[in-house]
Amino acid sequence: MVFVTGNHYINQGVQKAFLDGVPGCVEHQFKLWSALTDARHNQRNIHVCWFDIANAYGSVCHNLIVQALHRYHLPAHSIRTVSSLYSNLCTVVSTHQWISNSFYIQIGVHQDDPLSAAIFNVVINLLLDAIQSQCNHLGYRFSSSSSVVLPALQYADDTCLVSNSKENCQTMLDVTQRCLDWALMKAKVNKCAAVAITGQTGRVYDPNWQWLENPYLS
């Protein structure tokens, strides 16, 4: 993982998966618990949604891998090595009765490859950068300081979006969906979840956000 974290382009404050010596689940849970506690003690609205990507590893386009490696300024020899692993991949489907013509594979991260976790993090970071650049100001603002904002938490392909308002969280969902569309990926809606808490009463309700899917990939 050093080759994707050493230049500090990967935001380790947001993405916690596959990092040596980082208790990512514990850190993210503590951040979210802190936001929920702040909202409860100060009677502030809080809205949280968990966004899951369908077949995350299997839906990463190979050209997106190379694009991400260049964007985050990995060493040229590393880019050449990874590119060679994903170039001109060809296979066939064989059964007892028939065998298909050969065809190229242009999608999917090699899950048995020891580099796969690092490659996946780099690609997902493209989406995180887009979400943060457009939505950072929409995240949950702590009562102690308006400059302390929690917009997103990421663990591998699982995204948690946090905001003060229903409308802001819907905007963050829409931006996330556009990013997935651009990457030719889609949400697994039946695994997405949401909760909203009214600050004045502490009442939990379903915000009924619109979970969108890419119709071209359904």
Side-chain angles (χ1 to χ4, degrees), residues 9-30:
Y9 279 97
I10 302 298
N11 187 344
Q12 297 182 59
V14 178
Q15 174 64 271
K16 293 293 185 180
F18 315 127
L19 300 175
D20 292 337
V22 176
C25 289
V26 174
E27 291 187 13
H28 275 349
Q29 287 176 358
F30 180 77

Side-chain angles (χ1 to χ4, degrees), residues 14-18 25 28 49-54 56 120-121 124 128 152-161 176 188 191-192:
V14 178
Q15 174 64 271
K16 293 293 185 180
F18 315 127
C25 289
H28 275 349
C49 62
W50 292 268
F51 203 92
D52 186 73
I53 300 175
F120 185 78
N121 265 11
I124 290 298
L128 291 177
L153 301 169
Q154 188 79 21
Y155 197 91
D157 63 309
D158 295 313
T159 305
C160 176
L161 304 175
T176 303
K188 191 170 185 177
K191 289 187 66 178
C192 296

Side-chain angles (χ1 to χ4, degrees), residues 61-123:
C61 294
H62 294 172
N63 60 355
L64 193 59
I65 294 173
V66 178
Q67 180 180 341
L69 297 178
H70 282 286
R71 176 177 174 80
Y72 296 120
H73 305 286
L74 269 73
H77 67 274
S78 297
I79 296 177
R80 287 195 298 270
T81 299
V82 175
S83 297
S84 68
L85 296 175
Y86 288 90
S87 297
N88 299 317
L89 299 179
C90 195
T91 190
V92 298
V93 176
S94 177
T95 73
H96 292 298
Q97 289 78 32
W98 55 270
I99 184 170
S100 73
N101 294 326
S102 62
F103 57 91
Y104 286 102
I105 301 174
Q106 298 177 317
I107 192 170
V109 175
H110 304 324
Q111 296 190 45
D112 292 331
D113 180 3
L115 288 176
S116 62
I119 291 170
F120 185 78
N121 265 11
V122 171
V123 172

Side-chain angles (χ1 to χ4, degrees), residues 115-177:
L115 288 176
S116 62
I119 291 170
F120 185 78
N121 265 11
V122 171
V123 172
I124 290 298
N125 207 71
L126 289 174
L127 305 182
L128 291 177
D129 278 353
I131 293 169
Q132 286 190 285
S133 65
Q134 299 179 58
C135 299
N136 193 64
H137 64 291
L138 301 176
Y140 180 82
R141 292 185 181 275
F142 285 81
S143 58
S144 58
S145 173
S146 60
S147 63
V148 180
V149 183
L150 178 64
L153 301 169
Q154 188 79 21
Y155 197 91
D157 63 309
D158 295 313
T159 305
C160 176
L161 304 175
V162 192
S163 185
N164 290 94
S165 76
K166 174 181 176 179
E167 294 75 18
N168 284 351
C169 215
Q170 180 66 64
T171 299
M172 296 168 79
L173 278 172
D174 294 343
V175 170
T176 303
Q177 182 62 58

